PDB file of all heavy atoms in Angstrom:
ATOM      1  N   PHE S   1     141.550  88.480 109.295  1.00 94.00           N
ATOM      2  CA  PHE S   1     142.407  88.795 108.142  1.00 94.00           C
ATOM      3  C   PHE S   1     142.614  87.591 107.236  1.00 94.00           C
ATOM      4  O   PHE S   1     142.678  87.727 106.033  1.00 94.00           O
ATOM      5  CB  PHE S   1     143.736  89.328 108.671  1.00 94.00           C
ATOM      6  CG  PHE S   1     144.626  89.713 107.515  1.00 94.00           C
ATOM      7  CD1 PHE S   1     144.441  90.909 106.814  1.00 94.00           C
ATOM      8  CD2 PHE S   1     145.722  88.874 107.115  1.00 94.00           C
ATOM      9  CE1 PHE S   1     145.319  91.289 105.805  1.00 94.00           C
ATOM     10  CE2 PHE S   1     146.534  89.326 106.014  1.00 94.00           C
ATOM     11  CZ  PHE S   1     146.362  90.504 105.353  1.00 94.00           C
ATOM     12  N   VAL S   2     142.680  86.467 107.778  1.00 94.00           N
ATOM     13  CA  VAL S   2     142.983  85.186 107.044  1.00 94.00           C
ATOM     14  C   VAL S   2     141.649  84.460 106.677  1.00 94.00           C
ATOM     15  O   VAL S   2     141.026  83.924 107.548  1.00 94.00           O
ATOM     16  CB  VAL S   2     143.963  84.204 107.840  1.00 94.00           C
ATOM     17  CG1 VAL S   2     144.208  82.988 106.990  1.00 94.00           C
ATOM     18  CG2 VAL S   2     145.181  84.901 108.189  1.00 94.00           C
ATOM     19  N   GLY S   3     141.335  84.531 105.461  1.00 90.00           N
ATOM     20  CA  GLY S   3     140.060  83.957 104.995  1.00 90.00           C
ATOM     21  C   GLY S   3     138.830  84.798 105.275  1.00 90.00           C
ATOM     22  O   GLY S   3     138.935  85.972 105.803  1.00 90.00           O
ATOM     23  N   GLN S   4     137.680  84.285 104.945  1.00 89.00           N
ATOM     24  CA  GLN S   4     136.476  84.918 105.258  1.00 89.00           C
ATOM     25  C   GLN S   4     135.830  84.422 106.532  1.00 89.00           C
ATOM     26  O   GLN S   4     136.019  83.329 106.918  1.00 89.00           O
ATOM     27  CB  GLN S   4     135.519  84.719 104.104  1.00 89.00           C
ATOM     28  CG  GLN S   4     135.909  85.338 102.822  1.00 89.00           C
ATOM     29  CD  GLN S   4     134.925  85.164 101.683  1.00 89.00           C
ATOM     30  OE1 GLN S   4     134.447  84.071 101.513  1.00 89.00           O
ATOM     31  NE2 GLN S   4     134.600  86.146 100.868  1.00 89.00           N
ATOM     32  N   THR S   5     135.009  85.301 107.241  1.00 91.00           N
ATOM     33  CA  THR S   5     134.477  84.978 108.514  1.00 91.00           C
ATOM     34  C   THR S   5     133.024  85.478 108.540  1.00 91.00           C
ATOM     35  O   THR S   5     132.701  86.557 108.114  1.00 91.00           O
ATOM     36  CB  THR S   5     135.265  85.698 109.676  1.00 91.00           C
ATOM     37  OG1 THR S   5     136.662  85.322 109.634  1.00 91.00           O
ATOM     38  CG2 THR S   5     134.765  85.190 110.971  1.00 91.00           C
ATOM     39  N   ILE S   6     132.153  84.589 109.070  1.00 92.00           N
ATOM     40  CA  ILE S   6     130.814  84.921 109.389  1.00 92.00           C
ATOM     41  C   ILE S   6     130.759  85.244 110.849  1.00 92.00           C
ATOM     42  O   ILE S   6     131.195  84.442 111.668  1.00 92.00           O
ATOM     43  CB  ILE S   6     129.784  83.842 108.990  1.00 92.00           C
ATOM     44  CG1 ILE S   6     129.790  83.559 107.497  1.00 92.00           C
ATOM     45  CG2 ILE S   6     128.386  84.163 109.571  1.00 92.00           C
ATOM     46  CD1 ILE S   6     128.931  82.479 107.110  1.00 92.00           C
ATOM     47  N   ARG S   7     130.203  86.459 111.195  1.00 92.00           N
ATOM     48  CA  ARG S   7     130.159  86.832 112.639  1.00 92.00           C
ATOM     49  C   ARG S   7     128.714  87.152 113.031  1.00 92.00           C
ATOM     50  O   ARG S   7     127.999  87.839 112.284  1.00 92.00           O
ATOM     51  CB  ARG S   7     130.969  88.039 112.836  1.00 92.00           C
ATOM     52  CG  ARG S   7     132.499  87.797 112.712  1.00 92.00           C
ATOM     53  CD  ARG S   7     133.323  89.034 113.027  1.00 92.00           C
ATOM     54  NE  ARG S   7     133.139  90.094 112.054  1.00 92.00           N
ATOM     55  CZ  ARG S   7     133.756  90.130 110.884  1.00 92.00           C
ATOM     56  NH1 ARG S   7     134.723  89.295 110.608  1.00 92.00           N
ATOM     57  NH2 ARG S   7     133.537  91.084 110.041  1.00 92.00           N
ATOM     58  N   LEU S   8     128.318  86.554 114.180  1.00 93.00           N
ATOM     59  CA  LEU S   8     126.984  86.834 114.761  1.00 93.00           C
ATOM     60  C   LEU S   8     127.214  87.113 116.264  1.00 93.00           C
ATOM     61  O   LEU S   8     128.092  86.682 116.881  1.00 93.00           O
ATOM     62  CB  LEU S   8     126.063  85.623 114.584  1.00 93.00           C
ATOM     63  CG  LEU S   8     125.634  85.329 113.096  1.00 93.00           C
ATOM     64  CD1 LEU S   8     125.027  83.966 113.058  1.00 93.00           C
ATOM     65  CD2 LEU S   8     124.651  86.409 112.589  1.00 93.00           C
ATOM     66  N   ARG S   9     126.260  87.905 116.779  1.00 94.00           N
ATOM     67  CA  ARG S   9     126.250  88.156 118.229  1.00 94.00           C
ATOM     68  C   ARG S   9     125.221  87.287 118.897  1.00 94.00           C
ATOM     69  O   ARG S   9     124.128  86.988 118.356  1.00 94.00           O
ATOM     70  CB  ARG S   9     125.816  89.659 118.421  1.00 94.00           C
ATOM     71  CG  ARG S   9     126.823  90.568 117.841  1.00 94.00           C
ATOM     72  CD  ARG S   9     126.454  92.090 118.195  1.00 94.00           C
ATOM     73  NE  ARG S   9     125.069  92.398 117.881  1.00 94.00           N
ATOM     74  CZ  ARG S   9     124.685  92.696 116.620  1.00 94.00           C
ATOM     75  NH1 ARG S   9     125.550  92.666 115.635  1.00 94.00           N
ATOM     76  NH2 ARG S   9     123.377  92.972 116.450  1.00 94.00           N
ATOM     77  N   GLY S  10     125.624  86.796 120.063  1.00 94.00           N
ATOM     78  CA  GLY S  10     124.720  85.938 120.865  1.00 94.00           C
ATOM     79  C   GLY S  10     124.913  86.112 122.415  1.00 94.00           C
ATOM     80  O   GLY S  10     125.795  86.916 122.800  1.00 94.00           O
ATOM     81  N   ILE S  11     124.114  85.395 123.126  1.00 95.00           N
ATOM     82  CA  ILE S  11     124.219  85.268 124.620  1.00 95.00           C
ATOM     83  C   ILE S  11     124.408  83.854 125.002  1.00 95.00           C
ATOM     84  O   ILE S  11     123.736  82.922 124.609  1.00 95.00           O
ATOM     85  CB  ILE S  11     122.964  85.910 125.208  1.00 95.00           C
ATOM     86  CG1 ILE S  11     122.688  87.293 124.746  1.00 95.00           C
ATOM     87  CG2 ILE S  11     122.993  85.824 126.762  1.00 95.00           C
ATOM     88  CD1 ILE S  11     123.671  88.281 125.228  1.00 95.00           C
ATOM     89  N   ALA S  12     125.462  83.685 125.912  1.00 94.00           N
ATOM     90  CA  ALA S  12     125.705  82.350 126.481  1.00 94.00           C
ATOM     91  C   ALA S  12     124.654  81.977 127.561  1.00 94.00           C
ATOM     92  O   ALA S  12     124.340  82.764 128.384  1.00 94.00           O
ATOM     93  CB  ALA S  12     127.149  82.348 127.047  1.00 94.00           C
ATOM     94  N   GLU S  13     124.263  80.772 127.438  1.00 92.00           N
ATOM     95  CA  GLU S  13     123.200  80.261 128.355  1.00 92.00           C
ATOM     96  C   GLU S  13     123.598  78.958 128.982  1.00 92.00           C
ATOM     97  O   GLU S  13     124.516  78.366 128.508  1.00 92.00           O
ATOM     98  CB  GLU S  13     121.856  80.056 127.616  1.00 92.00           C
ATOM     99  CG  GLU S  13     121.208  81.371 127.016  1.00 92.00           C
ATOM    100  CD  GLU S  13     119.933  81.056 126.397  1.00 92.00           C
ATOM    101  OE1 GLU S  13     119.629  79.928 126.055  1.00 92.00           O
ATOM    102  OE2 GLU S  13     119.153  82.061 126.197  1.00 92.00           O
ATOM    103  N   GLY S  14     122.873  78.599 130.034  1.00 89.00           N
ATOM    104  CA  GLY S  14     123.122  77.369 130.729  1.00 89.00           C
ATOM    105  C   GLY S  14     124.518  77.245 131.282  1.00 89.00           C
ATOM    106  O   GLY S  14     125.011  78.099 132.051  1.00 89.00           O
ATOM    107  N   ASP S  15     125.204  76.139 130.808  1.00 90.00           N
ATOM    108  CA  ASP S  15     126.613  76.027 131.314  1.00 90.00           C
ATOM    109  C   ASP S  15     127.620  76.796 130.461  1.00 90.00           C
ATOM    110  O   ASP S  15     128.819  76.665 130.600  1.00 90.00           O
ATOM    111  CB  ASP S  15     127.003  74.603 131.332  1.00 90.00           C
ATOM    112  CG  ASP S  15     126.985  73.976 129.856  1.00 90.00           C
ATOM    113  OD1 ASP S  15     126.567  74.639 128.931  1.00 90.00           O
ATOM    114  OD2 ASP S  15     127.329  72.790 129.719  1.00 90.00           O
ATOM    115  N   GLY S  16     127.135  77.669 129.614  1.00 87.00           N
ATOM    116  CA  GLY S  16     127.968  78.535 128.779  1.00 87.00           C
ATOM    117  C   GLY S  16     128.322  77.933 127.457  1.00 87.00           C
ATOM    118  O   GLY S  16     128.920  78.604 126.616  1.00 87.00           O
ATOM    119  N   THR S  17     127.828  76.716 127.115  1.00 89.00           N
ATOM    120  CA  THR S  17     128.132  76.113 125.819  1.00 89.00           C
ATOM    121  C   THR S  17     126.878  76.208 124.923  1.00 89.00           C
ATOM    122  O   THR S  17     126.933  75.625 123.860  1.00 89.00           O
ATOM    123  CB  THR S  17     128.590  74.651 125.961  1.00 89.00           C
ATOM    124  OG1 THR S  17     127.484  73.891 126.648  1.00 89.00           O
ATOM    125  CG2 THR S  17     129.794  74.530 126.895  1.00 89.00           C
ATOM    126  N   ARG S  18     125.868  76.876 125.367  1.00 91.00           N
ATOM    127  CA  ARG S  18     124.729  76.991 124.480  1.00 91.00           C
ATOM    128  C   ARG S  18     124.558  78.491 124.232  1.00 91.00           C
ATOM    129  O   ARG S  18     124.497  79.370 125.147  1.00 91.00           O
ATOM    130  CB  ARG S  18     123.428  76.440 125.074  1.00 91.00           C
ATOM    131  CG  ARG S  18     123.516  74.997 125.354  1.00 91.00           C
ATOM    132  CD  ARG S  18     122.245  74.438 125.919  1.00 91.00           C
ATOM    133  NE  ARG S  18     121.132  74.476 124.943  1.00 91.00           N
ATOM    134  CZ  ARG S  18     120.994  73.601 123.950  1.00 91.00           C
ATOM    135  NH1 ARG S  18     121.775  72.620 123.773  1.00 91.00           N
ATOM    136  NH2 ARG S  18     120.028  73.768 123.105  1.00 91.00           N
ATOM    137  N   ILE S  19     124.574  78.919 122.947  1.00 93.00           N
ATOM    138  CA  ILE S  19     124.566  80.264 122.581  1.00 93.00           C
ATOM    139  C   ILE S  19     123.224  80.614 121.897  1.00 93.00           C
ATOM    140  O   ILE S  19     122.941  80.055 120.840  1.00 93.00           O
ATOM    141  CB  ILE S  19     125.728  80.611 121.689  1.00 93.00           C
ATOM    142  CG1 ILE S  19     127.053  80.089 122.229  1.00 93.00           C
ATOM    143  CG2 ILE S  19     125.882  82.116 121.446  1.00 93.00           C
ATOM    144  CD1 ILE S  19     127.519  80.634 123.526  1.00 93.00           C
ATOM    145  N   ARG S  20     122.575  81.571 122.469  1.00 92.00           N
ATOM    146  CA  ARG S  20     121.246  81.948 121.896  1.00 92.00           C
ATOM    147  C   ARG S  20     121.496  83.156 120.920  1.00 92.00           C
ATOM    148  O   ARG S  20     122.104  84.115 121.224  1.00 92.00           O
ATOM    149  CB  ARG S  20     120.316  82.450 122.985  1.00 92.00           C
ATOM    150  CG  ARG S  20     118.968  82.952 122.287  1.00 92.00           C
ATOM    151  CD  ARG S  20     117.796  82.874 123.313  1.00 92.00           C
ATOM    152  NE  ARG S  20     117.420  81.534 123.674  1.00 92.00           N
ATOM    153  CZ  ARG S  20     116.670  80.684 122.850  1.00 92.00           C
ATOM    154  NH1 ARG S  20     116.285  81.169 121.631  1.00 92.00           N
ATOM    155  NH2 ARG S  20     116.488  79.545 123.200  1.00 92.00           N
ATOM    156  N   ILE S  21     121.110  82.919 119.665  1.00 92.00           N
ATOM    157  CA  ILE S  21     121.213  83.947 118.634  1.00 92.00           C
ATOM    158  C   ILE S  21     119.768  84.142 118.064  1.00 92.00           C
ATOM    159  O   ILE S  21     119.228  83.265 117.347  1.00 92.00           O
ATOM    160  CB  ILE S  21     122.130  83.470 117.523  1.00 92.00           C
ATOM    161  CG1 ILE S  21     123.515  83.211 118.082  1.00 92.00           C
ATOM    162  CG2 ILE S  21     122.204  84.530 116.445  1.00 92.00           C
ATOM    163  CD1 ILE S  21     124.522  82.589 117.023  1.00 92.00           C
ATOM    164  N   GLY S  22     119.217  85.251 118.375  1.00 88.00           N
ATOM    165  CA  GLY S  22     117.794  85.346 118.010  1.00 88.00           C
ATOM    166  C   GLY S  22     116.842  84.348 118.625  1.00 88.00           C
ATOM    167  O   GLY S  22     116.834  84.115 119.783  1.00 88.00           O
ATOM    168  N   GLY S  23     116.099  83.678 117.672  1.00 85.00           N
ATOM    169  CA  GLY S  23     115.207  82.697 118.157  1.00 85.00           C
ATOM    170  C   GLY S  23     115.766  81.239 118.196  1.00 85.00           C
ATOM    171  O   GLY S  23     115.087  80.369 118.425  1.00 85.00           O
ATOM    172  N   SER S  24     117.102  81.175 117.876  1.00 85.00           N
ATOM    173  CA  SER S  24     117.693  79.749 117.885  1.00 85.00           C
ATOM    174  C   SER S  24     118.757  79.654 118.902  1.00 85.00           C
ATOM    175  O   SER S  24     119.309  80.652 119.434  1.00 85.00           O
ATOM    176  CB  SER S  24     118.270  79.515 116.490  1.00 85.00           C
ATOM    177  OG  SER S  24     117.241  79.696 115.468  1.00 85.00           O
ATOM    178  N   THR S  25     119.168  78.410 119.197  1.00 87.00           N
ATOM    179  CA  THR S  25     120.275  78.161 120.073  1.00 87.00           C
ATOM    180  C   THR S  25     121.313  77.225 119.490  1.00 87.00           C
ATOM    181  O   THR S  25     120.965  76.229 118.868  1.00 87.00           O
ATOM    182  CB  THR S  25     119.776  77.522 121.357  1.00 87.00           C
ATOM    183  OG1 THR S  25     118.829  78.400 121.974  1.00 87.00           O
ATOM    184  CG2 THR S  25     120.923  77.323 122.360  1.00 87.00           C
ATOM    185  N   LEU S  26     122.609  77.573 119.542  1.00 89.00           N
ATOM    186  CA  LEU S  26     123.648  76.652 119.076  1.00 89.00           C
ATOM    187  C   LEU S  26     124.379  76.045 120.224  1.00 89.00           C
ATOM    188  O   LEU S  26     124.686  76.690 121.213  1.00 89.00           O
ATOM    189  CB  LEU S  26     124.699  77.548 118.332  1.00 89.00           C
ATOM    190  CG  LEU S  26     124.391  78.025 116.899  1.00 89.00           C
ATOM    191  CD1 LEU S  26     125.541  78.786 116.315  1.00 89.00           C
ATOM    192  CD2 LEU S  26     124.022  76.860 115.988  1.00 89.00           C
ATOM    193  N   ALA S  27     124.533  74.704 120.120  1.00 89.00           N
ATOM    194  CA  ALA S  27     125.375  74.004 121.144  1.00 89.00           C
ATOM    195  C   ALA S  27     126.777  73.937 120.629  1.00 89.00           C
ATOM    196  O   ALA S  27     127.055  73.344 119.582  1.00 89.00           O
ATOM    197  CB  ALA S  27     124.800  72.599 121.318  1.00 89.00           C
ATOM    198  N   VAL S  28     127.696  74.529 121.312  1.00 90.00           N
ATOM    199  CA  VAL S  28     129.086  74.640 120.886  1.00 90.00           C
ATOM    200  C   VAL S  28     130.017  74.014 121.935  1.00 90.00           C
ATOM    201  O   VAL S  28     129.613  73.603 122.980  1.00 90.00           O
ATOM    202  CB  VAL S  28     129.560  76.123 120.695  1.00 90.00           C
ATOM    203  CG1 VAL S  28     128.616  76.790 119.650  1.00 90.00           C
ATOM    204  CG2 VAL S  28     129.385  76.949 122.046  1.00 90.00           C
ATOM    205  N   ARG S  29     131.295  73.829 121.532  1.00 88.00           N
ATOM    206  CA  ARG S  29     132.242  73.146 122.396  1.00 88.00           C
ATOM    207  C   ARG S  29     132.944  74.128 123.352  1.00 88.00           C
ATOM    208  O   ARG S  29     133.198  73.732 124.508  1.00 88.00           O
ATOM    209  CB  ARG S  29     133.321  72.496 121.531  1.00 88.00           C
ATOM    210  CG  ARG S  29     132.835  71.308 120.717  1.00 88.00           C
ATOM    211  CD  ARG S  29     133.963  70.552 120.047  1.00 88.00           C
ATOM    212  NE  ARG S  29     133.520  69.412 119.311  1.00 88.00           N
ATOM    213  CZ  ARG S  29     134.239  68.557 118.690  1.00 88.00           C
ATOM    214  NH1 ARG S  29     135.656  68.795 118.619  1.00 88.00           N
ATOM    215  NH2 ARG S  29     133.813  67.544 117.988  1.00 88.00           N
ATOM    216  N   GLU S  30     133.134  75.370 122.971  1.00 87.00           N
ATOM    217  CA  GLU S  30     133.746  76.329 123.820  1.00 87.00           C
ATOM    218  C   GLU S  30     132.693  76.733 124.930  1.00 87.00           C
ATOM    219  O   GLU S  30     131.498  76.696 124.669  1.00 87.00           O
ATOM    220  CB  GLU S  30     134.239  77.562 123.119  1.00 87.00           C
ATOM    221  CG  GLU S  30     135.442  77.362 122.285  1.00 87.00           C
ATOM    222  CD  GLU S  30     135.878  78.756 121.724  1.00 87.00           C
ATOM    223  OE1 GLU S  30     136.354  79.540 122.555  1.00 87.00           O
ATOM    224  OE2 GLU S  30     135.780  78.957 120.496  1.00 87.00           O
ATOM    225  N   ALA S  31     133.178  77.086 126.044  1.00 88.00           N
ATOM    226  CA  ALA S  31     132.360  77.598 127.138  1.00 88.00           C
ATOM    227  C   ALA S  31     132.617  79.031 127.496  1.00 88.00           C
ATOM    228  O   ALA S  31     133.832  79.384 127.571  1.00 88.00           O
ATOM    229  CB  ALA S  31     132.529  76.693 128.355  1.00 88.00           C
ATOM    230  N   MET S  32     131.570  79.822 127.651  1.00 92.00           N
ATOM    231  CA  MET S  32     131.688  81.215 128.075  1.00 92.00           C
ATOM    232  C   MET S  32     130.853  81.317 129.324  1.00 92.00           C
ATOM    233  O   MET S  32     130.007  80.525 129.669  1.00 92.00           O
ATOM    234  CB  MET S  32     131.175  82.128 126.966  1.00 92.00           C
ATOM    235  CG  MET S  32     131.886  82.013 125.644  1.00 92.00           C
ATOM    236  SD  MET S  32     133.572  82.600 125.713  1.00 92.00           S
ATOM    237  CE  MET S  32     133.373  84.383 125.639  1.00 92.00           C
ATOM    238  N   ARG S  33     131.055  82.463 130.062  1.00 92.00           N
ATOM    239  CA  ARG S  33     130.277  82.717 131.309  1.00 92.00           C
ATOM    240  C   ARG S  33     128.867  82.899 130.939  1.00 92.00           C
ATOM    241  O   ARG S  33     128.487  83.599 129.916  1.00 92.00           O
ATOM    242  CB  ARG S  33     130.827  83.939 131.903  1.00 92.00           C
ATOM    243  CG  ARG S  33     130.074  84.431 133.176  1.00 92.00           C
ATOM    244  CD  ARG S  33     130.683  85.653 133.798  1.00 92.00           C
ATOM    245  NE  ARG S  33     130.778  86.655 132.805  1.00 92.00           N
ATOM    246  CZ  ARG S  33     129.770  87.547 132.566  1.00 92.00           C
ATOM    247  NH1 ARG S  33     128.536  87.326 133.141  1.00 92.00           N
ATOM    248  NH2 ARG S  33     129.925  88.469 131.599  1.00 92.00           N
ATOM    249  N   ALA S  34     127.932  82.156 131.625  1.00 91.00           N
ATOM    250  CA  ALA S  34     126.460  82.321 131.408  1.00 91.00           C
ATOM    251  C   ALA S  34     126.068  83.755 131.513  1.00 91.00           C
ATOM    252  O   ALA S  34     126.398  84.472 132.411  1.00 91.00           O
ATOM    253  CB  ALA S  34     125.718  81.432 132.328  1.00 91.00           C
ATOM    254  N   GLY S  35     125.278  84.160 130.504  1.00 91.00           N
ATOM    255  CA  GLY S  35     124.805  85.551 130.391  1.00 91.00           C
ATOM    256  C   GLY S  35     125.716  86.487 129.668  1.00 91.00           C
ATOM    257  O   GLY S  35     125.342  87.682 129.401  1.00 91.00           O
ATOM    258  N   ALA S  36     126.973  86.034 129.338  1.00 93.00           N
ATOM    259  CA  ALA S  36     127.942  86.877 128.677  1.00 93.00           C
ATOM    260  C   ALA S  36     127.491  87.120 127.180  1.00 93.00           C
ATOM    261  O   ALA S  36     127.000  86.152 126.460  1.00 93.00           O
ATOM    262  CB  ALA S  36     129.262  86.285 128.737  1.00 93.00           C
ATOM    263  N   ALA S  37     127.706  88.282 126.698  1.00 95.00           N
ATOM    264  CA  ALA S  37     127.514  88.609 125.275  1.00 95.00           C
ATOM    265  C   ALA S  37     128.748  88.067 124.508  1.00 95.00           C
ATOM    266  O   ALA S  37     129.890  88.394 124.899  1.00 95.00           O
ATOM    267  CB  ALA S  37     127.294  90.098 125.086  1.00 95.00           C
ATOM    268  N   VAL S  38     128.578  87.433 123.513  1.00 95.00           N
ATOM    269  CA  VAL S  38     129.676  86.829 122.652  1.00 95.00           C
ATOM    270  C   VAL S  38     129.497  87.055 121.224  1.00 95.00           C
ATOM    271  O   VAL S  38     128.405  87.238 120.700  1.00 95.00           O
ATOM    272  CB  VAL S  38     129.799  85.332 122.948  1.00 95.00           C
ATOM    273  CG1 VAL S  38     130.102  85.037 124.447  1.00 95.00           C
ATOM    274  CG2 VAL S  38     128.615  84.608 122.455  1.00 95.00           C
ATOM    275  N   GLU S  39     130.683  87.050 120.519  1.00 94.00           N
ATOM    276  CA  GLU S  39     130.717  86.983 119.033  1.00 94.00           C
ATOM    277  C   GLU S  39     130.889  85.634 118.643  1.00 94.00           C
ATOM    278  O   GLU S  39     131.848  84.960 119.105  1.00 94.00           O
ATOM    279  CB  GLU S  39     131.730  87.926 118.528  1.00 94.00           C
ATOM    280  CG  GLU S  39     131.829  87.930 117.001  1.00 94.00           C
ATOM    281  CD  GLU S  39     132.929  88.712 116.384  1.00 94.00           C
ATOM    282  OE1 GLU S  39     132.781  90.005 116.273  1.00 94.00           O
ATOM    283  OE2 GLU S  39     134.066  88.215 116.089  1.00 94.00           O
ATOM    284  N   VAL S  40     130.039  85.119 117.816  1.00 93.00           N
ATOM    285  CA  VAL S  40     130.147  83.730 117.314  1.00 93.00           C
ATOM    286  C   VAL S  40     130.638  83.866 115.905  1.00 93.00           C
ATOM    287  O   VAL S  40     130.079  84.401 114.994  1.00 93.00           O
ATOM    288  CB  VAL S  40     128.733  83.073 117.286  1.00 93.00           C
ATOM    289  CG1 VAL S  40     128.813  81.643 116.775  1.00 93.00           C
ATOM    290  CG2 VAL S  40     128.074  83.101 118.674  1.00 93.00           C
ATOM    291  N   SER S  41     131.903  83.256 115.654  1.00 93.00           N
ATOM    292  CA  SER S  41     132.540  83.336 114.425  1.00 93.00           C
ATOM    293  C   SER S  41     132.724  81.953 113.744  1.00 93.00           C
ATOM    294  O   SER S  41     132.950  80.926 114.452  1.00 93.00           O
ATOM    295  CB  SER S  41     133.979  83.970 114.627  1.00 93.00           C
ATOM    296  OG  SER S  41     133.837  85.259 115.185  1.00 93.00           O
ATOM    297  N   MET S  42     132.575  81.994 112.387  1.00 91.00           N
ATOM    298  CA  MET S  42     132.672  80.658 111.713  1.00 91.00           C
ATOM    299  C   MET S  42     133.199  80.919 110.317  1.00 91.00           C
ATOM    300  O   MET S  42     132.940  82.034 109.768  1.00 91.00           O
ATOM    301  CB  MET S  42     131.343  79.886 111.767  1.00 91.00           C
ATOM    302  CG  MET S  42     130.219  80.670 111.100  1.00 91.00           C
ATOM    303  SD  MET S  42     128.536  80.190 111.677  1.00 91.00           S
ATOM    304  CE  MET S  42     128.461  81.230 113.129  1.00 91.00           C
ATOM    305  N   ARG S  43     133.662  79.920 109.640  1.00 91.00           N
ATOM    306  CA  ARG S  43     134.063  80.061 108.227  1.00 91.00           C
ATOM    307  C   ARG S  43     132.870  79.747 107.404  1.00 91.00           C
ATOM    308  O   ARG S  43     132.025  78.881 107.683  1.00 91.00           O
ATOM    309  CB  ARG S  43     135.210  79.025 107.892  1.00 91.00           C
ATOM    310  CG  ARG S  43     136.450  79.351 108.829  1.00 91.00           C
ATOM    311  CD  ARG S  43     137.073  80.666 108.501  1.00 91.00           C
ATOM    312  NE  ARG S  43     138.420  80.787 109.120  1.00 91.00           N
ATOM    313  CZ  ARG S  43     139.146  81.869 109.154  1.00 91.00           C
ATOM    314  NH1 ARG S  43     138.618  83.034 108.567  1.00 91.00           N
ATOM    315  NH2 ARG S  43     140.379  81.933 109.630  1.00 91.00           N
TER     316      ARG S  43
END
């Protein structure tokens, strides 16, 4: 609701701080359970 948001779907890999989106991987600070489907949101 507040501001605009870009949303993508990905899968958490390794220790949960690497998120695979299509053919690329993002290293993020948050950790999710490995193998979990996640929504990746950013401004």
Side-chain angles (χ1 to χ4, degrees):
F1 185 76
V2 180
Q4 294 181 315
T5 305
I6 293 173
R7 292 182 293 275
L8 291 165
R9 299 183 307 280
I11 302 293
E13 296 182 340
D15 63 356
T17 62
R18 299 184 68 81
I19 311 299
R20 177 158 293 281
I21 302 172
S24 303
T25 302
L26 284 181
V28 298
R29 291 188 178 181
E30 286 189 69
M32 302 291 282
R33 177 180 55 82
V38 298
E39 180 183 275
V40 182
S41 300
M42 61 205 84
R43 299 297 190 186

